[in-house]
Amino acid sequence: MTDYIIRNGFVYDPVLGINGDIMDVAVRDGKIVDAGDVTKATEIDASGMTVMAAAVDIHAHVAGPKVNVGRNFRPEDKLFNCNVGSGVKRMEAGFSVPTTIRTGYLYARMGFGFSMEAAMPPLYARHTHEEIVDTPIIDQGALPVFGNNWFVLEYIKENEVENTAAYIAWLLAQTKGYGVKCVNPGGTESWGWGMNCETVDDVVPYFDVTPRQIVDGLIAANEMLGLPHCMHVHGNSLGEPGNYGVTLDTLKIAEGHKPNNEFGRESVLHHTHLQFHCYGGESYASKSFESKSKEVMDYVNSTDNITFDLGVVTLDETTTMTADGPFEFHLSHMNSLKWANTDVELETGSGIVPFIYNPKTFIAGAQWAVGLELGLLVKDPMKAYVTTDAPNAGPLMRYPRVYKWLMSAKAREDMLNNVLKYGDSIRARCYIGELDREISLYELAMMTRAGPAKTLGLGHMFGSLKAGLEGDVAVYPYNPESDTDDPEKIEYAFGNCATLIKGGELIIKEGEVVSNGRQKRTFWVNAKTNENPVVERDISEKFKRYYTVTQNNYTVEGHHYMPNPYVIEVDATK
Amino acid sequence: MAKITLTPTKTPTLRLEAENICPDSFAGKSNEEIANLHVFVGKESQALGDYFEIAGESGSTAAETTIVINGDVNRVKYIGMKMSAGEVIINGDADMYVGAWMSGGKINANGSVDAFSGLGMTGGELIIKGDAGNYLGAAYRGDWRGMQGGTIRVSGNAGSDVGTFMRGGTIIIGGNVDVHVGTHMEGGTIIVKGDAKSRVGGQMVKGDIYVFGDIEVMMPGFQYRKDVDSEVDGTTGSFALYEGDIGERHGKSKGETIYGKLYMKH
Amino acid sequence: MSRSWMRLRSLRRSAYRQVGNLAKIVTDVVCPFCGTLCDDLEVALDDSGEKILEVYNACAIGAAKFLHSQAEDRLTRPQMKQEDGSWKEVTYDEAVEYTAQMLIDAKKPLMYGWSSTSCSAQSVGSELGEVVGACMDNTATVCHGSSLIAVQDVGIPSATLGEIANRADRVVFWGCNPAHAHPRHMSRYSIFPRGFFTGKGSKSRKMVVVDPRRTDTAKMADIHLQLEQGHDYELLSAIRVAIRGEKLPKTVAGIPAETIYEVAETLKSGRFAVIFFGMGVTQSLGKNHNIDIAIAVTRDLNDYTKAAIIPMRGHYNVTGSGQVWGWQFGFPFCLDLSRGFARYNPGDSSSNDLLIRDEVDAAFVLGSDPGAHFPVGSVRKIAQMPSVCIDPHITPTSAVSKLHVPVAFVGVEVGGCAYRMDNVPIETRKVVEPPEGMLTDEEFLTMVLKRVKEMKGAA
Ligand code: SF4
Ligand SMILES: [Zn+2]
């Protein structure tokens, strides 16, 4: 394997406390090493450029059944939006829902090394894994959804945390999943009957359990197992005006829970795309709607066991997709566009609707403001991760644009003054106009690397340039001394990295993709638990009576689903 | 206005993909450069000059360019695709996608055109002397924004799926149409001077459809409202006004539900 | 005492049991025939483990598929058609060479089929198609392609088949006849199961069949709407009008208005309604529009109750083919990759249109039989051009092809992923070994891909 030394870049690494020092970074045998430890390395000149560990995405919808519905039912998303394959590169297509091939290349161009698929319906795990296999370059994992699962609902109703934990461990092993995702707890099961859970105390029909109990039980089970990642929630009433109270109720469930893991993770609850959950008012009209980002962030800033990602609205035409079935139904009534829905037996559901965040409307601009406010109001950037909930609030390829808005008050002003039609009412109804903070490159490295890696329990592999970590390094054509004049340079640089080394392999050379990656891995977590005959019996009962596949045919195994697995072992037998 | 003439010299073995036959591509180019513009036969990239003799000259902008095709190009696809200005005159029959996604300018097809002509059109004029194939002025697959502006005028007959997801503009068919006219229509006007078979205005939200001849099978979701006198594309007459599609969603204006309007000539 | 769930998993690998000392039973076998994709079959093997003796739990067609694989006169090596029309055995290497050369020489090869094979084979095939600039299409083109188009226009509120088994109390079969085409559908998923919320089985369900013919399925229905052929769109539109309580003409599609109101009420009054539909609507007049409006009915019903709609997909893995192409190229069928990027437009890039319009100049067929299912005009075109047919059987397609490459049976002699009609992916199982020296289709495709890359590299 070739060794690399990246010379003379401006290096940012919050884990090591390096803040723009001009240094060399070295990779040997696929791992980061001290620059002095390589001798016959290929030299890469990074002078005048920004060097960081490759980025880590904690939440994106890039592989799996609903993503593919989004692709297949939107031919118009690909019309005049494709790249011809050339050299080693295969053809690419799609704007809001790119093909797996384009997804891999996009991540590479943006300098990412790891991405977590945010919602895997267990029964469709094979599909998710098949797509992961066909996504080049990037390491990936996937979070199975648990928040509406019949086993979980039944165990939690009876306060059976241990059984919940045993079931989670079993399911992770069956589906090769990474952790515990919970989408609209209880609401999606209610949607099985056309209903929803709008607050944390609504009762799920028949199962007689509340979202509050579900979130609490899943956190407890997650910590009982000591999984690398914490419970990852998308709360109730996403996108509803006035929902911030529900959000605070959800976040407060974390009180009293302590992290228990061997991975250095401090959070017990990760709230995803928080932007969609910080709304005040009673409607989307400018006289009623208001941002409650500050109210929510005041609480988050006062805690030490909660993390979140932003979910910034990028003002594009995109495709929304979520396991929150009732939300998508609701959305389809708002915009009358095509609506796909799949309810999944015993487990979950999902919906997909195209959506246009029109900068000419008040509400889209206000949503844009709320997402950025969260990133600007957070005290400790290690808690706040940049996402667009891709593609829900915006396409994956827009990450660099979000960085620009976070890093430049000038860029935000330009939006409010020149792009958004209702800039003034947005200033009046949101906090954006009062915030002049500019996220620094050092903070950006926290919000896109060190932070998400730590919360995923992957701080020992990703997010820093510490010796021994994975040889994942991105070099961006951005000079922090001379390129500060124009915020567009931020967006360009972070979407077009000059060099990407992934797992020690040169993927992008002088801005061009030169390899489809030989090392691409699928991460999953194997948690050992004590034998649990009750859960084993319940599982075989449910398969016999209510599933339409046999238990033996449920398990995902085989080389073609995971040619290159990376298993994180957890011992939860004590 | 500068005029450039293309005379077909060779029939392609498969079909020729020639989106470059478009004032926007020709503008500001010498005839030699134009002869070198690519055309595709399957995966093979060839030169426009391999298939056409090129005479005259093109203008410096699209608006100043008229392209005349002298001969049958019924195996040539994408003529005038995405054109924004200028003129294309086709003295013969043409294959699929004539004027697809065009936003301005004028295409005069003096023969017939095949399917998907005027697909996703947003502006300009598409005049067809012969017949048109299926999906005239329809939306591209999956798009809820079909034809949004401009005019399509066909002297002969049109195939099925005229104006699917139409949002604006006008389509006038001199002859008869096959099934599915203005399906999912949400704006614009379709005028059929001959007969229509069935499924006229199915799932229609808004917009106007006029039929001068007969409709073989009427959609059940259309209800007769009243008779109106009207002038339609130069013809004055009395029309029976139907509203629908009752089963479909509809917007409201000043408290009143706005339906699609189907006018049948008495 | 601790246990890793991984160990539990490994128990599954030996999913067979010994019966006396005569036969061995392989359990949890997946039927590679129709889109019902039953996964509870048991196959009895002789004690050598090489011969299939009996197939349990399958319907007659499913069982026949397994038993047929063992036919004595089966081809095991590629055959090349000679000038005089006779067939000559060739090696797999020669077959690879011919196929690679044909795909490279063609300006626009058609690579059709892909419905009766595994997703891994489809994935290799996709890359091959990309490298040679092919038009790629699957059997949806003559079957449920119209449904895929409709989904692109209006979406689809749907559910897995287990949701139907556990919740549905209103079941509509529109233009399909599961009693014949998907024999175990009603017993496993739609009519008879006693699910979590449907404990009374068929008694908890009302069954509506819409079909111009009095089919065996129709005979079981609570309500049979025997509409006039070709008027599905009008009838579905009328149901939408009735759901809204608006006025209808006296009859629509030959069905009296009162009956239409009654059906609308039946559907609205249920807790969970489902519409299954098949070729009777997907391929009759208006095609995609019929499905489009059936989806609209389902969408409307969700304002009153819960409703879903599911296509009765035919080939066992036509769904998977659309999925693989979806994630690699963005479209489920009718792909034109000839210009180095993916284009899609049925009516243009659909196999039959390509063939009839002379837009393709070579044919590669795998996992389907267009010779039997395409119009004669299209088949004649295939017969005139360089062509390869990859199929375990001798078929009407192999008969008109220049080269026939027999391969192992997916789901019998080799495993691999397949997607059920509700898109649920299931791993099919290998039950017996293929005849000695026989390749799987994935292996053959991999060899062709390698050879094509070599040839292109050399050029
Ligand atoms: S119903 Fe279909 S999948 Fe099931 S056994 Fe019969 S043929 Fe096979
Ligand atoms: Zn999400």
Side-chain angles (χ1 to χ4, degrees):
Chain A
M1 209 171 200
T2 321
D3 298 348
Y4 294 97
I5 186 150
I6 298 161
R7 293 237 185 253
N8 297 321
F10 296 95
V11 177
Y12 294 87
D13 185 342
V15 172
L16 296 175
I18 302 169
N19 186 2
D21 302 2
I22 294 180
M23 301 174 52
D24 296 344
V25 173
V27 176
R28 194 181 65 206
D29 294 335
K31 300 273 194 273
I32 305 280
V33 292
D34 289 329
D37 288 355
V38 290
T39 42
K40 290 190 311 241
T42 301
E43 304 232 351
I44 293 167
D45 180 17
S47 51
M49 297 199 230
T50 296
V51 179
M52 293 184 185
V56 174
D57 195 347
I58 198 165
H59 186 111
H61 305 269
V62 290
K66 67 183 180 323
V67 184
N68 221 30
V69 171
R71 294 188 189 99
N72 271 340
F73 98 149
R74 292 207 64 191
E76 77 282 9
D77 189 53
K78 282 149 291 243
L79 186 65
F80 308 124
N81 198 333
C82 5
N83 289 356
V84 175
S86 68
V88 301
K89 273 191 303 181
R90 290 188 60 185
M91 55 175 75
E92 309 174 41
F95 173 66
S96 67
V97 205
T99 57
T100 55
I101 315 289
R102 177 172 270 185
T103 297
Y105 295 156
L106 272 176
Y107 269 129
R109 290 185 197 113
M110 298 192 299
F112 277 73
F114 184 89
S115 164
M116 185 60 76
E117 163 53 46
M120 171 164 80
L123 186 60
Y124 286 92
R126 285 191 183 91
H127 182 158
T128 308
H129 286 297
E130 288 202 293
E131 287 200 21
I132 287 177
V133 172
D134 278 351
T135 308
I137 304 163
I138 189 145
D139 286 336
Q140 284 170 288
L143 300 174
V145 286
F146 287 95
N148 295 280
N149 179 299
W150 289 4
F151 293 89
V152 169
L153 299 183
E154 288 178 353
Y155 292 141
I156 284 179
K157 182 186 174 191
E158 303 299 333
N159 271 317
E160 295 166 357
V161 177
E162 209 164 315
N163 290 346
T164 310
Y167 173 74
I168 289 171
W170 177 81
L171 193 104
L172 293 180
Q174 300 310 297
T175 62
K176 307 298 178 281
Y178 188 86
V180 179
K181 175 75 183 298
C182 170
V183 177
N184 187 359
T188 303
E189 166 52 33
S190 308
W191 173 239
W193 298 120
M195 294 183 266
N196 196 3
C197 288
E198 288 167 1
T199 75
V200 292
D201 295 315
D202 285 12
V203 176
V204 185
Y206 176 81
F207 290 94
D208 197 23
V209 58
T210 64
R212 185 189 297 279
Q213 289 171 286
I214 297 168
V215 171
D216 187 63
L218 287 175
I219 296 178
N222 196 96
E223 298 313 316
M224 180 179 274
L225 290 168
L227 299 178
H229 187 30
C230 60
M231 210 280 284
H232 187 128
V233 76
H234 146 160
N236 304 88
S237 276
L238 178 148
E240 287 300 317
N243 63 9
Y244 80 107
V246 180
T247 306
L248 286 169
D249 289 343
T250 307
L251 295 173
K252 285 176 183 165
I253 301 171
E255 287 173 11
H257 288 286
K258 284 198 180 51
N260 164 46
N261 65 93
E262 291 171 356
F263 301 90
R265 160 175 64 82
E266 290 175 21
S267 166
V268 298
L269 184 152
H270 177 82
H271 200 302
T272 186
H273 39 70
L274 197 55
Q275 175 273 130
F276 285 122
H277 304 263
C278 293
Y279 301 163
E282 276 157 12
S283 80
Y284 296 120
S286 60
K287 57 184 183 316
S288 171
F289 185 90
E290 53 187 342
S291 168
K292 290 290 179 186
S293 60
K294 188 162 181 308
E295 287 73 0
V296 172
M297 286 317 295
D298 282 347
Y299 177 72
V300 171
N301 282 331
S302 75
T303 66
D304 57 6
N305 62 353
I306 293 174
T307 57
F308 67 97
D309 60 86
L310 308 181
V312 175
V313 165
T314 65
L315 303 163
D316 287 292
E317 175 180 325
T318 192
T319 310
T320 65
M321 48 180 67
T322 162
D324 193 338
F327 167 75
E328 293 286 357
F329 173 69
H330 185 66
L331 197 64
S332 74
H333 274 256
M334 278 167 51
N335 72 3
S336 304
L337 298 183
K338 49 189 161 187
W339 166 54
N341 176 83
T342 304
D343 293 345
V344 182
E345 60 207 62
L346 291 83
E347 295 178 348
T348 182
S350 76
I352 304 116
V353 176
F355 196 82
I356 301 170
Y357 292 97
N358 184 350
K360 301 250 173 319
T361 61
F362 161 78
I363 187 61
Q367 290 178 297
W368 166 83
V370 174
L372 295 173
E373 287 164 13
L374 297 170
L376 299 167
L377 287 165
V378 74
K379 274 213 190 97
D380 178 3
M382 284 297 281
K383 288 182 182 175
Y385 315 134
V386 181
T387 66
T388 61
D389 186 21
N392 284 304
L396 187 67
M397 61 170 293
R398 291 294 192 227
Y399 281 13
R401 187 166 288 180
V402 177
Y403 304 164
K404 171 183 76 182
W405 290 326
L406 287 168
M407 293 172 70
S408 164
K410 184 174 151 195
R412 299 196 294 269
E413 279 299 301
D414 179 54
M415 288 295 290
L416 287 162
N417 296 338
N418 305 319
V419 178
L420 297 168
K421 184 165 175 207
Y422 294 95
D424 290 341
S425 23
I426 292 162
R427 284 180 213 267
R429 309 299 300 178
C430 305
Y431 298 101
I432 191 92
E434 304 158 23
L435 301 171
D436 54 8
R437 182 173 175 186
E438 296 191 324
I439 297 298
S440 67
L441 285 167
Y442 189 75
E443 289 172 322
L444 186 75
M446 292 173 155
M447 296 168 86
T448 54
R449 282 124 168 111
K454 179 175 177 178
T455 294
L456 288 169
L458 292 171
H460 60 295
M461 298 178 75
F462 301 114
S464 162
L465 298 167
K466 201 166 126 189
L469 270 60
E470 299 299 296
D472 289 14
V473 189
V475 180
Y476 298 103
Y478 184 79
N479 187 322
E481 284 173 353
S482 58
D483 285 341
T484 50
D485 53 328
D486 181 1
E488 295 310 316
K489 289 183 180 170
I490 302 171
E491 182 173 341
Y492 176 80
F494 283 91
N496 293 280
C497 70
T499 304
L500 176 71
I501 294 173
K502 168 68 200 155
E505 189 189 355
L506 186 64
I507 301 292
I508 293 188
K509 184 182 174 188
E510 289 157 23
E512 280 298 315
V513 173
V514 293
S515 165
N516 289 316
R518 293 187 305 270
Q519 324 276 340
K520 188 234 161 65
R521 293 170 294 185
T522 311
F523 281 54
W524 68 277
V525 173
N526 184 39
K528 277 199 186 77
T529 58
N530 292 315
E531 202 159 338
N532 190 325
V534 174
V535 172
E536 283 183 45
R537 191 204 59 218
D538 290 348
I539 289 168
S540 75
E541 261 314 278
K542 285 248 187 329
F543 273 94
K544 271 194 212 106
R545 301 180 58 179
Y546 306 125
Y547 267 108
T548 54
V549 297
T550 69
Q551 188 180 342
N552 283 332
N553 283 331
Y554 189 70
T555 320
V556 179
E557 59 177 343
H559 182 261
H560 47 296
Y561 298 111
M562 214 166 296
N564 206 2
Y566 186 91
V567 191
I568 295 180
E569 304 279 350
V570 172
D571 185 356
T573 56
K574 279 151 232 126
Chain B
M1 193 117 157
K3 193 154 117 186
I4 181 159
T5 308
L6 305 184
T7 311
T9 54
K10 185 163 103 182
T11 309
T13 47
L14 304 175
R15 302 266 162 166
L16 199 66
E17 296 183 9
E19 66 275 15
N20 272 329
I21 304 183
C22 178
D24 298 73
S25 298
F26 279 20
K29 291 196 175 68
S30 71
N31 288 10
E32 199 190 328
E33 284 169 324
I34 289 168
N36 281 327
L37 287 171
H38 72 239
V39 290
F40 276 87
V41 178
K43 58 192 168 196
E44 267 180 36
S45 177
Q46 301 177 357
L48 188 65
D50 297 345
Y51 290 88
F52 296 94
E53 192 185 294
I54 299 162
E57 58 170 13
S58 68
S60 57
T61 65
E64 291 161 315
T65 302
T66 298
I67 302 173
V68 182
I69 304 171
N70 278 329
D72 256 352
V73 277
N74 58 11
R75 298 178 75 83
V76 182
K77 287 165 140 180
Y78 300 115
I79 293 171
M81 175 173 128
K82 282 183 150 182
M83 83 182 248
S84 70
E87 197 175 347
V88 178
I89 298 164
I90 310 170
N91 293 318
D93 292 344
D95 200 1
M96 294 173 169
Y97 302 103
V98 173
W101 299 287
M102 78 185 277
S103 60
K106 185 170 180 180
I107 299 180
N108 269 304
N110 288 321
S112 293
V113 299
D114 211 322
F116 307 110
S117 292
L119 195 76
M121 180 169 171
T122 57
E125 269 184 277
L126 173 57
I127 313 292
I128 298 153
K129 284 277 149 58
D131 298 331
N134 300 337
Y135 294 97
L136 178 74
Y140 175 63
R141 303 284 178 196
D143 208 329
W144 57 92
R145 296 150 295 203
M147 180 168 173
Q148 294 170 65
T151 305
I152 301 178
R153 186 182 285 275
V154 182
S155 304
N157 303 326
S160 68
D161 298 276
V162 171
T164 309
F165 282 106
M166 186 168 181
R167 292 247 163 162
T170 307
I171 302 178
I172 303 150
I173 317 284
N176 306 328
V177 288
D178 205 335
V179 296
H180 286 287
V181 180
T183 310
H184 287 292
M185 188 168 174
E186 208 171 339
T189 305
I190 300 177
I191 300 163
V192 179
K193 297 198 173 165
D195 298 333
K197 284 189 175 153
S198 63
R199 304 172 177 202
V200 178
Q203 295 164 281
M204 184 178 185
V205 178
K206 224 170 90 181
D208 299 304
I209 302 178
Y210 295 85
V211 179
F212 288 16
D214 284 338
I215 298 180
E216 221 170 275
V217 184
M218 189 75 173
M219 287 301 295
F222 277 81
Q223 292 175 359
Y224 172 76
R225 297 287 192 241
K226 61 180 176 193
D227 280 3
V228 289
D229 291 325
S230 192
E231 201 212 296
V232 181
D233 195 41
T235 312
T236 340
S238 167
F239 292 84
L241 165 64
Y242 290 78
E243 288 191 329
D245 181 340
I246 302 291
E248 184 54 62
R249 76 184 157 88
H250 295 284
K252 278 200 158 107
S253 168
K254 299 187 190 99
E256 273 198 34
T257 308
I258 307 298
Y259 293 100
K261 292 185 166 56
L262 171 58
Y263 298 87
M264 300 271 295
K265 192 157 179 288
H266 285 299
Chain C
M1 179 64 190
S2 82
R3 108 172 309 157
S4 158
W5 289 111
M6 259 180 106
R7 248 189 292 138
L8 187 71
R9 179 195 62 130
S10 63
L11 290 178
R12 170 201 181 249
R13 228 185 275 272
S14 47
Y16 59 81
R17 54 195 159 88
Q18 202 77 35
V19 187
N21 52 5
L22 261 182
K24 178 160 85 169
I25 306 275
V26 190
T27 66
D28 303 286
V29 173
V30 183
C31 174
F33 186 75
C34 84
T36 311
L37 211 63
C38 302
D39 75 333
D40 61 342
L41 274 51
E42 302 202 337
V43 178
L45 305 177
D46 70 355
D47 51 358
S48 73
E50 277 166 23
K51 199 166 158 25
I52 296 173
L53 301 177
E54 206 79 62
V55 182
Y56 305 105
N57 296 346
C59 70
I61 27 184
K65 171 96 181 178
F66 280 90
L67 298 169
H68 191 54
S69 71
Q70 308 251 309
E72 298 287 325
D73 57 349
R74 181 169 160 198
L75 278 184
T76 58
R77 289 295 179 274
Q79 312 281 316
M80 183 82 79
K81 196 181 270 171
Q82 304 300 297
E83 297 269 317
D84 63 358
S86 66
W87 293 90
K88 181 180 157 226
E89 184 173 312
V90 295
T91 64
Y92 275 114
D93 283 334
E94 288 168 301
V96 166
E97 192 65 26
Y98 175 88
T99 308
Q101 197 65 55
M102 176 190 93
L103 291 172
I104 285 201
D105 289 348
K107 290 193 175 71
K108 197 165 182 170
L110 172 65
M111 297 180 73
Y112 175 79
W114 307 106
S115 298
S116 296
T117 188
S118 71
C119 293
S120 329
Q122 288 160 355
S123 183
V124 179
S126 303
E127 194 178 346
L128 177 59
E130 179 172 335
V131 175
V132 301
C135 286
M136 310 274 287
D137 201 3
N138 59 33
T139 54
T141 214
V142 285
C143 182
H144 273 281
S146 47
S147 314
L148 301 170
I149 295 171
V151 171
Q152 291 162 349
D153 283 339
V154 289
I156 181 166
S158 196
T160 67
L161 292 165
E163 282 290 282
I164 309 312
N166 287 316
R167 294 187 208 261
D169 59 355
R170 298 288 185 271
V171 182
V172 182
F173 291 105
W174 198 301
C176 56
N177 185 9
H180 286 200
H182 299 84
R184 296 186 68 212
H185 191 278
M186 288 188 280
S187 62
R188 277 174 65 78
Y189 312 126
S190 49
I191 298 295
F192 300 108
R194 293 169 191 274
F196 196 76
F197 298 105
T198 52
K200 294 207 183 90
S202 65
K203 288 202 195 68
S204 47
R205 297 185 173 93
K206 277 219 161 62
M207 176 176 173
V208 180
V209 172
V210 189
D211 205 307
R213 301 161 304 156
R214 184 115 182 107
T215 60
D216 286 341
T217 307
K219 286 179 198 148
M220 298 167 61
D222 296 297
I223 304 174
H224 175 203
L225 296 182
Q226 206 161 355
L227 81 170
E228 288 165 7
Q229 182 96 38
H231 289 279
D232 303 87
Y233 188 78
E234 285 85 357
L235 183 56
L236 283 155
S237 176
I239 292 177
R240 295 188 78 194
V241 173
I243 286 174
R244 279 167 205 248
E246 296 276 357
K247 202 168 139 282
L248 279 175
K250 273 203 201 68
T251 63
V252 177
I255 309 290
E258 307 82 74
T259 313
I260 299 172
Y261 285 119
E262 186 198 325
V263 168
E265 200 40 49
T266 303
L267 296 176
K268 278 164 80 172
S269 64
R271 287 195 303 172
F272 190 120
V274 62
I275 301 174
F276 291 102
F277 63 95
M279 299 262 287
V281 258
T282 64
Q283 292 302 317
S284 64
L285 179 74
K287 294 185 173 183
N288 57 299
H289 296 289
N290 302 333
I291 312 312
D292 177 326
I293 200 161
I295 292 169
V297 167
T298 316
R299 196 171 159 142
D300 294 347
L301 283 171
N302 273 292
D303 290 339
Y304 303 90
T305 178
K306 182 75 194 203
I309 179 165
I310 301 177
M312 299 285 267
R313 305 297 298 265
H315 286 69
Y316 77 93
N317 197 25
V318 58
T319 310
S321 161
Q323 295 288 359
V324 172
W325 290 346
W327 74 64
Q328 294 206 8
F329 305 114
F331 310 107
F333 75 127
C334 292
L335 292 154
D336 181 345
L337 308 178
S338 59
R339 286 177 61 175
F341 57 93
R343 283 179 294 175
Y344 163 81
N345 195 9
D348 171 10
S349 57
S350 27
S351 311
N352 278 301
D353 295 284
L354 292 167
L355 287 165
I356 298 293
R357 284 164 44 84
D358 290 317
E359 283 214 63
V360 286
D361 54 356
F364 169 106
V365 178
L366 183 151
S368 158
D369 189 6
H373 301 126
F374 275 15
V376 186
S378 303
V379 180
R380 206 171 288 137
K381 301 276 184 181
I382 295 178
Q384 286 160 6
M385 56 181 73
S387 51
V388 176
C389 172
I390 292 130
D391 201 301
H393 303 274
I394 293 174
T395 65
T397 309
S398 75
V400 300
S401 299
K402 307 287 176 295
L403 172 67
H404 177 197
V405 184
V407 284
F409 276 92
V410 178
V412 180
E413 296 164 343
V414 55
C417 191
Y419 285 63
R420 201 165 68 184
M421 61 169 71
D422 55 355
N423 297 301
V424 169
I426 302 178
E427 176 73 7
T428 66
R429 279 170 193 277
K430 173 174 178 163
V431 179
V432 289
E433 290 292 332
E436 215 188 311
M438 252 189 116
L439 296 182
T440 66
D441 45 13
E442 187 182 349
E443 286 164 342
F444 182 74
L445 287 163
T446 307
M447 288 164 72
V448 175
L449 176 61
K450 185 165 166 266
R451 187 68 192 117
V452 161
K453 282 183 171 170
E454 280 166 15
M455 287 171 161
K456 288 194 68 155

